[in-house]
Amino acid sequence: MRIGKVVGNIWATRKEEGLQGLKLLIIQPKKIDGQLADEQIVAADRIGAGVGDDVILTTGSAAVRSFSKEIVCPIDAIIVGIIDATEES
């Protein structure tokens, strides 16, 4: 899992059938030092995150497995949590 910040929305009226009904967000991952990375990725969101939220996301096969076994969804990243607070020791 990774931590990132939602920096934008994506609207696509024409997309793969497995993506229908999914909200797509632009995420800027955070580096270990907490700074935002230069890269941006697109993640599916089913929990209601919005621009400015810090989120937890998972990628790869774990993202695909977050859906039911009957649904084949062509995603590489999905938001699995909205961060309220963090604490480091």
Side-chain angles (χ1 to χ4, degrees), residues 17-46:
E17 185 177 322
L19 296 174
Q20 295 302 323
L22 282 178
K23 181 174 155 185
L24 300 174
L25 298 174
I26 302 169
I27 309 296
Q28 197 157 6
K30 289 191 175 185
K31 298 186 264 184
I32 292 175
D33 64 4
Q35 298 298 312
L36 293 175
D38 292 332
E39 68 178 315
Q40 293 181 337
I41 60 173
V42 176
D45 174 45
R46 297 190 306 173

Side-chain angles (χ1 to χ4, degrees), residues 4-7 25 27 30 48-55 81-83:
K5 183 176 221 52
V6 180
V7 296
L25 298 174
I27 309 296
K30 289 191 175 185
V51 173
D53 285 340
D54 287 326
V55 295
I82 300 171
I83 298 173

